[in-house]
Amino acid sequence: QVQLVESGGDLVQPGGSLRLSCAASGIIFSAYTMGWYRQVPGKERELVGDITSGGSTNYVDSVKGRFTVSRDNTKKTVYLQMNGLKPEDTAVYLCHAKYLIFNYWGQGTQVTVSS
């Protein structure tokens, strides 16, 4: 059974930082491209950033220079370090795992950026 469990979401002031974690089980983690998406009600789910099995990363333009995706294959965990948070970063952040035709989603964790 595949599980992706996110944690680390919180309420934070503008300019603040958070680190999200996603712990995976039931997959050969090192083979998967791991991604972070975000979802705001009424809007399409958006890819924030991802990291391939080889460690290459990709980010949406709006978070470049502020967010960093990393992975620890020994812990089967992917991270999203978010710095310089803005109110428009408020969303549910979801973890995603993809390998060939296989893809899985976590339940999400809420990030709210507000003063």
Side-chain angles (χ1 to χ4, degrees), residues 6-88:
E6 303 97 333
S7 61
D10 205 346
L11 170 64
V12 63
Q13 292 189 344
S17 297
L18 279 177
R19 188 175 83 154
L20 306 183
S21 300
C22 170
S25 59
I27 60 172
I28 303 174
F29 181 82
S30 59
Y32 279 69
T33 291
M34 299 301 298
W36 287 97
Y37 286 72
R38 61 188 178 188
Q39 179 83 63
V40 176
K43 293 189 176 181
E44 289 191 6
R45 189 170 291 184
E46 174 186 51
L47 174 64
V48 176
D50 60 16
I51 183 166
T52 68
S53 58
S56 298
T57 55
N58 170 60
Y59 300 95
V60 67
D61 284 348
S62 60
V63 308
K64 285 180 180 177
R66 299 189 297 124
F67 291 10
T68 303
V69 180
S70 61
R71 65 191 297 158
D72 185 336
N73 289 339
T74 62
K75 294 182 178 180
K76 297 186 176 182
T77 300
V78 61
Y79 304 97
L80 179 65
Q81 177 66 45
M82 304 186 291
N83 300 326
L85 283 160
K86 304 176 181 181
E88 52 263 41

Side-chain angles (χ1 to χ4, degrees), residues 11-14 87 112-115:
L11 170 64
V12 63
Q13 292 189 344
T112 303
V113 185
S114 174
S115 55

